[in-house]
């Protein structure tokens, strides 16, 4: 039985991934870096040291990854202040979890301030018992730290918790932590690695709700 559900945010709950992708180039431009096509895909779902590792692999160690992170997030935050569109089935899934008394948490690579802002703008803050940023734990995705912390706050073990993710690094993190892990693809479709790591792949959050209702997860 699933005793807690842990949601990624960008691309899973909200249609924000295009905003992130479209605004990485303006951020690199602002720092005088030549944008490299595919970089936004490579850093998707990362934070902190993992983000820096990818940036240094694509450029070199002389690039200040922290500065790029800060500029990128500042640009994106301007676009997100007006609110973000919810992904199909989010409200319905949250309503079902509330009816069943199953607690939910957010575990995102985004800063805590952006998590809080998006939840508030979307009117779903009250649906979550906890929220954890990848910047608050030692290792960001694809390590499972952020999910393990979220499960701890929900009071359940990894094998009792459902992780919902759209990114490859998120699925890797969920699998590494021993979670029931469902991938709901957004911009990138699953490959053989994702199909081997994910417990299931669902087309949207409506399907996740339906599987929970049917007792087909856990």
């Amino acid at each position: 039985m699933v005793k807690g559900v842990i949601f990624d945010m960008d691309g899973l709950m909200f249609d924000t991934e295009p905003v992130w992708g479209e605004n990485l180039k303006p951020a690199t431009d602002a720092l005088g870096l030549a944008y490299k096509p595919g970089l936004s895909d490579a850093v998707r779902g990362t934070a902190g040291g993992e983000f820096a590792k990818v940036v240094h692999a694509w450029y070199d160690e002389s690039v200040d990854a922290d500065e790029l992170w800060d500029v990128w997030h500042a640009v994106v935050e301007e676009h997100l202040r007006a609110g973000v569109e919810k992904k199909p089935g989010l409200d319905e899934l949250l309503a079902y979890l509330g009816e069943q008394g199953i607690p939910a948490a957010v575990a995102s690579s985004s800063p805590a301030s952006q998590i809080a802002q998006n939840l508030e703008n979307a009117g779903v803050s009250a649906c979550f018992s906890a929220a954890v940023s990848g910047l608050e734990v030692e290792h960001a995705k694809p390590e499972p730290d952020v999910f393990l912390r979220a499960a701890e706050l929900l009071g359940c073990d990894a094998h009792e918790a459902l992780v919902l993710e759209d990114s490859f690094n998120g699925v890797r993190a969920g699998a590494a932590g021993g979670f029931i892990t469902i991938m709901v693809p957004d911009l990138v479709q699953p490959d053989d690695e994702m199909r081997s790591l994910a417990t299931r792949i669902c087309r949207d959050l409506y399907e996740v709700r339906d599987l929970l209702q049917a007792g087909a997860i856990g």
Side-chain angles (χ1 to χ4, degrees):
M1 178 181 173
V2 171
K3 295 185 178 180
V5 179
I6 303 171
F7 290 70
D8 175 48
M9 185 176 71
D10 296 298
L12 187 282
M13 294 173 58
F14 305 118
D15 191 23
T16 51
E17 287 294 4
V19 179
W20 287 102
E22 292 163 5
N23 285 287
L24 183 51
K25 184 179 185 302
T28 56
D29 288 348
L31 297 179
L33 296 172
Y35 176 76
K36 297 185 178 184
L39 178 61
S40 61
D41 291 333
V43 298
R44 183 175 296 120
T46 65
E50 290 299 325
F51 176 80
K53 187 186 301 183
V54 175
V55 170
H56 291 153
W58 279 64
Y59 293 96
D60 58 56
E61 294 287 336
S62 67
V63 173
D64 189 333
D66 290 338
E67 184 179 23
L68 176 57
W69 172 274
D70 290 342
V71 172
W72 185 28
H73 279 247
V75 173
V76 169
E77 191 166 338
E78 286 295 322
H79 289 265
L80 296 183
R81 279 189 184 134
V84 291
E85 184 176 346
K86 299 175 190 178
K87 298 292 279 188
L90 175 63
D91 285 333
E92 289 79 4
L93 174 55
L94 290 174
Y96 174 77
L97 296 179
E99 292 165 1
Q100 299 301 310
I102 300 173
V106 178
S108 170
S109 297
S110 293
S113 59
Q114 287 188 349
I115 296 173
Q117 177 180 295
N118 285 341
L119 297 183
E120 182 67 25
N121 287 347
V124 297
S125 297
C127 299
F128 294 95
S129 303
V132 185
S133 165
L135 301 175
E136 299 170 0
V137 294
E138 184 175 1
H139 301 291
K141 304 172 190 178
E143 297 300 318
D145 298 30
V146 69
F147 292 142
L148 292 171
R149 177 57 177 154
E152 179 184 358
L153 293 173
L154 292 180
C156 56
D157 294 329
H159 68 276
E160 301 172 318
L162 170 61
V163 161
L164 300 176
E165 264 287 355
D166 69 292
S167 75
F168 281 27
N169 279 331
V171 172
R172 291 174 184 131
F179 291 87
I180 305 164
T181 304
I182 289 183
M183 182 180 189
V184 183
D186 182 34
L187 297 183
V188 181
Q189 294 302 305
D191 60 8
D192 289 342
E193 180 195 5
M194 293 299 103
R195 283 187 281 271
S196 70
L197 292 177
T199 308
R200 300 188 77 127
I201 295 172
C202 292
R203 65 183 178 275
D204 55 30
L205 296 177
Y206 285 115
E207 185 176 357
V208 175
R209 178 203 58 184
D210 293 346
L211 288 171
L212 284 170
Q213 285 180 325
I217 300 174

